Amino acid sequence: MPVHSQGVEASLFRTDDQVYWKGVPEILSGSRGQASLPSVGKIRTGDEVREGPFQEDVLAPSVLVRLEGEKQMIPRHPKTGRRYRQVFPWPTDIYCDWRDAYARLSSEVPWVSDHEETEIPKLLSESEPQDVLILWHDLLPPGASQETTRAKLILYWPETVGSGIGMTVHQTEMLRELVARRARAYSGIIFYDPDSKDFLSPVLPVPAGVSPAGYDAQVMGQPDWNAPKTTDIALYGAFTGIREWIIPDLRARMDGRLDEFSGIHKKARAARLSSSRSILIVPHSPGSFPQWRLWHAIASSAALLAPWPKAWPAESGKHYIEVPFPDPARPGPFLDAIMAALGRSDLSTVARTAHEEISKITVARAFEEWTVPEIERMLSR
């Protein structure tokens, strides 16, 4: 419901326990659309909470303001009429960047909210038919499915699948059956790259779509182009699978110029990566490109080295340097290609191009331009 003050129109939204007024400048209204600040209650401007009575100068322009109090209306997307509830595993390391990014987005866009998996039973029981629950993993409790809830359930598939690089026929069929079995409980499944969608669509019992995860500079950090390069390669992640066979040989080749770490996330990870000339992805198992690593890389000033010909939305040779897929039985070609890549003079150019072009795909843009239209397309089938 619109409210007016001094000729400026703002929009009034409601969430479960808060009322939002958004406008430029931001204004609050009392009950029934009165053009005045409320005399009681609380408002939140940024991280600061104030209690009434309030004066007109209490609010700064372009600040989201929340008033605890009367429920007026449910905020819904202006084009689709839906609420989008992003649900993340907890605890998690892989998704912490996007969990925080969607928390930021939900403070700016009232029809988006972020939740932890412990909230799923409540979300399932209280959601309405226009609501969409986007689960960033197969988190549904036993017995829950699209048939048992009014909300639309969308699975954002987080694992590397793609064209199954390095996979045997048996492994490929097992993977396809696993994804198909989990997808049955949902209205649709979103992959973070077209290769994964094309690889699995033939066996899926529900529609599939594509949406990149996206970048958020305030959460993930930004490149430090002036950072001293103290190592040649940064390598992070669990020491398991193929990595157990390849990394010892890599260490021997690098002779101390390898920075290995784990358990560092978001801005701290970006700063650590920026101290290396390059970032190397050594896959722990066969599959497609792990897109999470792309967003990590573009937040740093290091060039990405990756053993995949496809790494959408990045382009091989332009946004990253392609190396062969590692073969534990014959590590030589993989290691030789890494050494050759380190000898290139354009590593910083590759890093800059990747950041400048791919960072334009923000989390907010990925949601609005990919996720929302893909969900509408899937639900219309």
Side-chain angles (χ1 to χ4, degrees):
M1 59 186 290
V3 294
H4 301 269
S5 175
Q6 299 175 348
V8 178
E9 180 174 301
S11 298
L12 173 64
F13 306 101
R14 190 268 290 181
T15 62
D16 293 332
D17 59 356
Q18 294 174 318
V19 181
Y20 291 65
W21 280 260
K22 295 189 68 176
V24 182
E26 299 276 3
I27 60 175
L28 283 175
S29 167
S31 61
R32 301 184 182 277
Q34 298 297 314
S36 62
L37 292 166
S39 60
V40 296
K42 299 178 181 179
I43 62 171
R44 183 185 305 273
T45 58
D47 294 329
E48 183 179 5
V49 177
R50 301 188 186 185
E51 296 196 29
F54 305 107
Q55 303 299 320
E56 288 290 342
D57 61 357
V58 74
L59 303 178
S62 302
V63 174
L64 178 66
V65 177
R66 304 179 183 183
L67 168 67
E68 297 178 2
E70 182 182 357
K71 297 181 178 180
Q72 299 289 344
M73 61 183 293
I74 296 175
R76 298 197 178 279
H77 192 284
K79 294 182 179 179
T80 68
R82 301 188 189 280
R83 281 190 297 182
Y84 299 89
R85 297 178 159 191
Q86 306 276 348
V87 186
F88 293 89
W90 183 263
T92 181
D93 291 337
I94 297 176
Y95 315 106
C96 64
D97 295 71
W98 290 274
R99 182 190 64 216
D100 289 2
Y102 271 101
R104 277 199 347 101
L105 183 61
S106 68
S107 71
E108 300 170 357
V109 181
W111 45 82
V112 175
S113 57
D114 65 293
H115 305 270
E116 297 176 7
E117 62 178 296
T118 54
E119 301 176 67
I120 290 178
K122 179 182 178 182
L123 293 173
L124 291 175
S125 65
E126 71 180 17
S127 293
E128 301 179 5
Q130 306 98 310
D131 295 340
V132 177
L133 271 60
I134 304 172
L135 279 67
W136 285 60
H137 212 289
D138 183 25
L139 303 172
L140 287 178
S145 71
Q146 188 58 78
E147 297 178 354
T148 62
T149 181
R150 294 186 300 170
K152 304 300 184 289
L153 302 178
I154 300 295
L155 173 60
Y156 192 95
W157 185 259
E159 306 294 340
T160 57
V161 285
S163 58
I165 294 175
M167 299 177 68
T168 65
V169 173
H170 179 62
Q171 288 173 322
T172 299
E173 293 307 314
M174 286 182 61
L175 174 62
R176 283 181 161 175
E177 172 56 29
L178 170 66
V179 179
R181 185 170 65 250
R182 293 184 177 180
R184 292 187 183 104
Y186 298 85
S187 289
I189 180 169
I190 293 178
F191 297 97
Y192 57 44
D193 70 296
D195 194 32
S196 296
K197 173 181 175 289
D198 294 343
F199 178 62
L200 287 166
S201 287
V203 299
L204 291 178
V206 296
V210 174
S211 179
Y215 172 65
D216 187 317
Q218 293 192 42
V219 173
M220 302 174 189
Q222 299 188 64
D224 181 355
W225 302 112
N226 298 316
K229 300 298 184 182
T230 56
T231 57
D232 285 340
I233 292 178
L235 182 67
Y236 63 103
F239 187 64
T240 185
I242 295 175
R243 296 171 185 166
E244 293 184 81
W245 297 90
I246 295 293
I247 292 178
D249 291 328
L250 178 63
R251 289 190 189 117
R253 290 274 193 116
M254 294 305 299
D255 190 25
R257 294 174 294 151
L258 177 66
D259 179 23
E260 298 179 67
F261 65 91
S262 62
I264 301 177
H265 308 289
K266 296 177 282 191
K267 290 183 178 179
R269 179 190 56 235
R272 182 72 172 261
L273 293 175
S274 287
S275 67
S276 289
R277 295 175 60 221
S278 69
I279 303 162
L280 174 64
I281 303 179
V282 178
H284 58 70
S285 58
S288 62
F289 176 72
Q291 195 186 103
W292 318 117
R293 300 297 187 100
L294 174 64
W295 309 109
H296 298 171
I298 67 168
S300 79
S301 59
L304 181 63
L305 312 181
W308 286 275
K310 295 180 181 180
W312 185 86
E315 297 178 26
S316 174
K318 183 179 183 182
H319 302 123
Y320 71 99
I321 298 171
E322 183 182 346
V323 295
F325 201 86
D327 181 355
R330 297 179 60 252
F334 177 68
L335 299 174
D336 291 343
I338 293 171
M339 297 301 112
L342 292 176
R344 293 174 53 155
S345 61
D346 63 344
L347 289 181
S348 61
T349 300
V350 172
R352 282 184 180 273
T353 301
H355 175 77
E356 290 170 0
E357 297 187 1
I358 298 180
S359 66
K360 295 176 182 178
I361 305 176
T362 63
V363 169
R365 181 184 169 198
F367 172 76
E368 191 63 38
E369 296 185 16
W370 277 277
T371 301
V372 170
E374 286 287 72
I375 289 174
E376 290 306 301
R377 181 186 59 79
M378 291 189 292
L379 294 181
S380 67
R381 292 183 57 179

